[in-house]
Amino acid sequence: MKTYKIALLPGDGIGRDVTAAAWAVLEKAAGLNGFSLDATSYPWSCDYYLENGSMMPADGIDTLRSFDAILLGAVGWPRKVSDSVSLHGLLLPIRKAFVQYANIRPHRLLPGVQGPLRSDGFDILCIRENTEGEYSGAGGRVHQGTDNEVAVETSIFTRKGVERILRFGFEQARARSGKLASVTKSNAQKYSMVFWDEITQRLSAEYPDIEVTSYHIDAMAARMVMAPDSLDVVVASNLFGDILTDLGAAIQGGLGFAASANINPDRSAPSMFEPVHGSAPDIADLGIANPIAAIWSGALMLEHLGETAAAARVMASIEATTANGIGANPGKDKTDAITASVLSALG
């Protein structure tokens, strides 16, 4: 029997609950499809930081490198630890160290889920550059606390980084409808975003079968609300992709339905899978978090591992659950009830 080694990072707040729910579903799906999952859980979180002075141990990256994939719950608890510490101490280092440069986030309405828009026929795959751009961490502050204080945040865009995420987007579009939307703000950012547009235009010659449209970020935000069904694959920089995918989560019914995958496309290191929502400290330990985004992220993990039948089975079970009205309305059903319904639908 094929066995996959999975690192579990439940993290903070509701991350613990939704990771447990997702893991129960994934284990059952694995058993039903003739393979197994071997989990090792690590307590790296804001509580870990308060006890040890770091979000993960010094050898944390080396520890994770031996796994086939990583399943993460949520990171952050601002009342305890600044987000700038928790994010840059765990999530971003993993993405960068393992070259998980493609962040994939699907946006569509599940059966029985009512979104805020009149349109319900959209199926958008957002691809966000995940390791450089506006989140590169280059910059600093000087003269802190004085009237002369200066803060500089430098966005880093490399030809290699932009080209590889665009190629990834072109390939995803080729596997879907043949439509790619590239998002920049080149009318205002005349260096980095014009650079991105130029590479998009040059690569489009290599993909004559793909219909490519370039949008400014503000126009894309409006299009996702007004005409989401006109979009298929959307590719954007780190910051723009982050913003657009929260909008995507909103139109698909809320963050409780928003899954994501941090992909290392050449598989030289493990990829990481996580729900888009945060740790939600206000509802932590209440048992009311919606686990669907975490379970959906687990389905993306199974697909990445090559277990496509199991991934499809998990997605079908999620859809059967929401079609029955369970988990379809935020706050209505408890975590355990939603999880039990998905498990039952698995067969």
Side-chain angles (χ1 to χ4, degrees):
M1 180 182 289
K2 176 73 174 178
T3 299
Y4 300 95
K5 291 176 56 183
I6 310 298
L8 298 183
L9 303 181
D12 298 296
I14 65 170
R16 297 187 293 269
D17 291 341
V18 299
T19 300
W23 190 249
V25 172
L26 295 174
E27 276 198 306
K28 183 173 181 179
L32 291 170
N33 284 270
F35 63 95
S36 66
L37 301 171
D38 179 18
T40 303
S41 186
Y42 296 96
W44 306 340
S45 61
C46 288
D47 284 340
Y48 183 92
Y49 176 86
L50 293 175
E51 293 179 9
N52 299 278
S54 62
M55 289 296 295
M56 62 179 168
D59 64 350
I61 295 297
D62 289 337
T63 298
L64 294 174
R65 193 175 295 276
S66 64
F67 287 90
D68 295 306
I70 303 162
L71 185 64
L72 183 142
V75 176
W77 199 299
R79 185 172 54 82
K80 298 179 181 180
V81 178
S82 168
D83 281 342
S84 63
V85 172
S86 59
L87 183 67
H88 287 272
L90 185 63
L91 192 60
L92 293 186
I94 293 172
R95 289 174 175 173
K96 292 177 181 179
F98 295 149
V99 200
Q100 298 169 350
Y101 67 81
N103 184 265
I104 299 174
R105 299 185 177 186
H107 301 296
R108 61 182 176 86
L109 281 174
L110 295 170
V113 177
Q114 185 171 359
L117 305 181
R118 287 173 295 178
S119 174
D120 61 4
F122 59 88
D123 184 356
I124 303 171
L125 184 69
C126 279
I127 298 171
R128 165 190 172 191
E129 200 291 315
N130 213 31
T131 58
E132 55 176 47
E134 303 90 346
Y135 292 2
S136 297
R141 292 169 64 182
V142 296
H143 309 303
Q144 287 182 248
T146 74
D147 292 342
N148 296 320
E149 184 168 0
V150 177
V152 176
E153 192 88 35
T154 303
S155 299
I156 305 295
F157 289 87
T158 66
R159 181 172 293 277
K160 178 180 180 179
V162 175
E163 183 170 309
R164 69 188 180 186
I165 194 62
L166 285 169
R167 285 191 184 279
F168 189 87
F170 274 106
E171 294 296 335
Q172 293 298 310
R174 177 171 280 171
R176 288 169 57 101
S177 72
K179 292 171 56 180
L180 178 69
S182 176
V183 182
T184 65
K185 188 58 177 171
S186 51
N187 59 340
Q189 295 174 285
K190 64 180 182 179
Y191 301 117
S192 60
M193 297 287 93
V194 170
F195 176 60
W196 181 293
D197 282 349
E198 289 174 353
I199 295 176
T200 302
Q201 185 175 14
R202 179 173 61 81
L203 288 180
S204 66
E206 300 181 28
Y207 295 88
D209 54 320
I210 304 302
E211 177 188 339
V212 185
T213 307
S214 291
Y215 294 91
H216 291 150
I217 176 65
D218 41 358
M220 175 55 72
R223 179 167 286 273
M224 286 183 69
V225 173
M226 300 300 293
D229 52 321
S230 69
L231 300 168
D232 185 31
V233 178
V234 176
V235 61
S237 68
N238 214 328
L239 175 62
F240 291 167
D242 194 3
I243 295 169
L244 287 176
T245 52
D246 268 20
L247 178 55
I251 67 173
Q252 74 181 115
L255 287 169
F257 304 106
S260 79
N262 304 276
I263 299 295
N264 174 309
D266 68 10
R267 300 173 183 268
S268 60
S271 294
M272 179 167 62
F273 303 83
E274 56 173 320
V276 173
H277 62 67
S279 60
D282 58 321
I283 61 169
D285 302 318
L286 297 181
I288 59 175
N290 189 339
I292 286 177
I295 298 170
W296 192 340
S297 299
L300 295 176
M301 183 184 78
L302 295 181
E303 184 176 4
H304 179 73
L305 292 173
E307 299 294 345
T308 55
R313 190 172 200 155
V314 171
M315 285 308 304
S317 299
I318 292 173
E319 292 171 352
T321 292
T322 57
N324 286 330
I326 301 172
N329 301 300
K332 175 177 173 289
D333 300 299
K334 292 187 177 296
T335 309
D336 288 348
I338 300 170
T339 307
S341 179
V342 177
L343 287 168
S344 176
L346 277 174

